[in-house]
Amino acid sequence: MASSGLEQDLSKLSLLKDSYPQAVESNESDPAKLSSTIFPAAEYSPAEKTEISSWLTTASHIASSSEDAAKTAERLSSLNTHLATRTTLLGSKPSVADVALYSRLAPVVKGWDDETRTGEHGYHHIVRWLDFVQNAKLFGLKVEEKVDVHPDQVVFYPKPIDQKAEKERKKKEKAAAAADTAAKAGGTVTSAASEGTQKAENAAPKTKGKKDVGETIAAAVGAEAPTEKKAKKEKQPKPQKNAPAAEKALSPSLIDLRVAHIIKAVKHPEADSLYVSTVDCGDPAGTEHTSEYEGKTVRTVCSGLNGLIPLEEMQNRKIVAVCNLKPVKMRGIQSAAMVLAASPRLAEGEEDKHVGPVELVNPPEGAEAGERVYFEGWEGEPEGMLNPKKKVWDYCQVGFLTTPEKVAAFDPGAVEQLKESGKKDVALLRTKGGVCTVPTLTGAIIR
């Protein structure tokens, strides 16, 4: 795998070379493999290998002098929250990401006053982590001038995080997100109640009224409880089962297309053709298949664009994403959305060699993450998650293309299953603010 600019910078990190001569001798540029060389007792999962690369990206720009104060505070706050329940960036395993981030933050933390370090709104967990990294035998760093950390100068002692309460908080956030989704779909909070809650209510004992009183009195005097003759009940006709909901007609509106913001992207540690991106799709907190990054709710998205689109073009940019495909694992990492991209249409019988060119579909200027993207004339409510057996994506994607004006569009005439729909006009892909485009490709397919 070719080295990225970030990995080349890592090889020049003086603290790494001074502390781990074997790292220099190995001439290894892959962050995960370098971590294994330095910390042979640690074994890293594919997700952890990706996380190492992600933290190296963070280390390259956090607290940068070119970054505004608000953004720096946001990044530091997110890191502080992440470290609240972790000893190292990965939890308990050491990695080169800890060393790189320490090198970045040590001079910054040196300049902090006591209030910034340990005040009520200070970065307690960053300071604790930094002191651990510079002193722990686990890392064995050779630091010429350590950051002075004085336990007797703590300004504010935060309450320890209650793991049970934290788990309950996340559970409530998830329930709230589900309720919000149900409300948007025309349901209510009650209809979004969990099956467990409904079963608990159904299993609750029914009130027996006077019969319970009679039994209580009989028990008190040692007599048998009075019995009542049960009148024969007439058999009631069984209620008819609700008719199944009418199946929605095939339409590209069933596909949840949204404006999305790629916050960062790294190379997949186990696949040379894949990128792993951290993407804001506008999901509410607690949504399934999401996590939190720098205060935002994000999805992890794998895309086969490595070698087709430069990694630097995958950073901090807006795209169009498909957000209701069933999540799939791609070489050990779960991908929860898909990036829309255009490529030249193949001639009949031509083999797709995946050599490009490939261009990402761009939403209009000013579009926000989470904003709905739709084809004109095909507006409608998307499915919560597409059923793979119904092949909605497979059928409709055949009609995705780019026009001579380089606008993303949908041709219903290309979809065999829509020949009887009566719709023949090519529909442009748009948001409320304008159409979605590609830089140069015309007559291309989009997938």
Side-chain angles (χ1 to χ4, degrees):
M1 184 184 294
S3 297
S4 68
L6 176 63
E7 290 160 359
Q8 289 165 3
D9 289 342
L10 186 62
S11 67
K12 299 174 186 175
L13 197 63
S14 60
L15 180 58
L16 201 66
K17 292 191 286 186
D18 294 342
S19 303
Y20 314 111
Q22 72 272 34
V24 181
E25 293 169 6
S26 70
N27 201 28
E28 181 59 67
S29 60
D30 180 81
K33 291 179 180 177
L34 188 58
S35 294
S36 296
T37 300
I38 297 171
F39 307 106
E43 293 184 4
Y44 305 103
S45 67
E48 287 171 334
K49 291 176 182 178
T50 300
E51 200 173 346
I52 291 171
S53 294
S54 295
W55 281 115
L56 287 173
T57 301
T58 299
S60 69
H61 56 237
I62 191 169
S64 168
S65 57
S66 61
E67 191 173 66
D68 63 76
K71 189 63 180 176
T72 293
E74 182 184 337
R75 292 188 194 279
L76 289 172
S77 179
S78 177
L79 174 62
N80 192 64
T81 301
H82 176 81
L83 291 169
T85 55
R86 295 167 175 83
T87 304
T88 68
L89 291 173
L90 298 183
S92 59
K93 297 176 185 178
S95 71
V96 293
D98 291 283
V99 181
L101 196 57
Y102 173 86
S103 296
R104 179 75 173 189
L105 289 181
V108 176
V109 176
K110 277 182 182 178
W112 287 351
D113 58 21
D114 291 342
E115 187 65 35
T116 304
R117 290 187 180 198
T118 59
E120 185 172 357
H121 302 291
Y123 303 115
H124 296 73
H125 305 297
I126 292 178
V127 174
R128 171 188 50 76
W129 162 83
L130 183 140
D131 194 42
F132 174 78
V133 172
Q134 69 181 0
N135 289 303
K137 291 181 179 179
L138 179 66
F139 286 96
L141 290 184
K142 295 180 180 178
V143 183
E144 291 183 7
E145 188 179 346
K146 295 181 180 179
V147 179
D148 290 329
V149 177
H150 303 288
D152 57 338
Q153 292 179 357
V154 174
V155 178
F156 176 82
Y157 290 90
K159 292 181 180 179
I161 291 180
D162 186 333
Q163 295 290 348
K164 188 175 180 181
E166 182 69 6
K167 187 176 180 181
E168 190 63 28
R169 181 188 69 78
K170 289 182 178 179
K171 186 177 178 183
K172 287 180 179 178
E173 280 185 357
K174 191 172 182 179
D180 183 56
T181 302
K184 286 178 181 176
T188 64
V189 174
T190 305
S191 68
S194 68
E195 289 183 16
T197 303
Q198 294 175 13
K199 287 179 182 177
E201 289 183 3
N202 293 336
K206 307 294 182 183
T207 304
K208 295 183 180 178
K210 292 181 180 179
K211 186 175 179 181
D212 286 344
V213 176
E215 289 174 352
T216 304
I217 295 172
V221 297
E224 290 185 5
T227 59
E228 294 180 8
K229 289 184 179 180
K230 292 183 179 179
K232 288 184 178 180
K233 291 183 180 180
E234 292 183 10
K235 288 185 177 180
Q236 299 294 327
K238 291 182 179 180
Q240 291 184 348
K241 292 182 179 179
N242 291 332
E247 190 170 319
K248 292 182 180 179
L250 180 67
S251 166
S253 66
L254 299 178
I255 302 169
D256 187 1
L257 297 171
R258 301 185 211 168
V259 176
H261 176 207
I262 299 180
I263 300 173
K264 64 178 181 179
V266 298
K267 295 177 181 178
H268 194 298
E270 301 292 331
D272 290 347
S273 64
L274 299 179
Y275 287 139
V276 181
S277 303
T278 301
V279 184
D280 176 7
C281 297
D283 296 296
T287 300
E288 194 174 9
H289 307 302
T290 66
S291 57
E292 188 177 317
Y293 178 75
E294 294 190 348
K296 295 180 180 179
T297 300
V298 296
R299 300 188 186 200
T300 297
V301 180
C302 296
S303 56
L305 299 172
N306 191 355
L308 298 172
I309 294 179
L311 184 57
E312 55 267 24
E313 290 184 20
M314 296 289 290
Q315 313 296 330
N316 190 29
R317 66 169 297 163
K318 298 287 177 59
I319 57 163
V320 176
V322 183
C323 296
N324 62 343
L325 295 174
K326 187 176 180 180
V328 293
K329 274 200 172 183
M330 301 180 75
R331 298 294 291 271
I333 296 177
Q334 188 178 66
S335 179
M338 187 172 74
V339 179
L340 277 193
S343 58
R345 191 177 296 278
L346 299 174
E348 189 173 346
E350 183 183 355
E351 183 184 353
D352 188 357
K353 297 180 180 177
H354 299 282
V355 295
V358 172
E359 295 177 350
L360 297 179
V361 176
N362 297 314
E365 191 73 29
E368 295 295 328
E371 197 172 314
R372 178 65 55 81
V373 181
Y374 59 92
F375 292 102
E376 292 176 342
W378 294 89
E379 295 85 348
E381 194 66 28
E383 294 278 77
M385 184 175 291
L386 293 175
N387 184 342
K389 293 181 180 179
K390 295 183 179 179
K391 298 188 176 181
V392 173
W393 167 255
D394 303 77
Y395 291 148
C396 291
Q397 183 273 323
V398 175
F400 288 19
L401 50 78
T402 61
T403 69
E405 294 75 32
K406 301 184 284 291
V407 177
F410 174 68
D411 178 11
V415 181
E416 185 66 33
Q417 294 77 10
L418 290 176
K419 291 278 177 75
E420 305 299 322
S421 68
K423 294 187 177 183
K424 298 180 180 179
D425 294 338
V426 172
L428 302 184
L429 185 65
R430 63 173 299 117
T431 69
K432 62 184 179 183
V435 295
C436 301
T437 59
V438 295
T440 66
L441 295 175
T442 61
I445 58 171
I446 295 175
R447 52 188 171 179

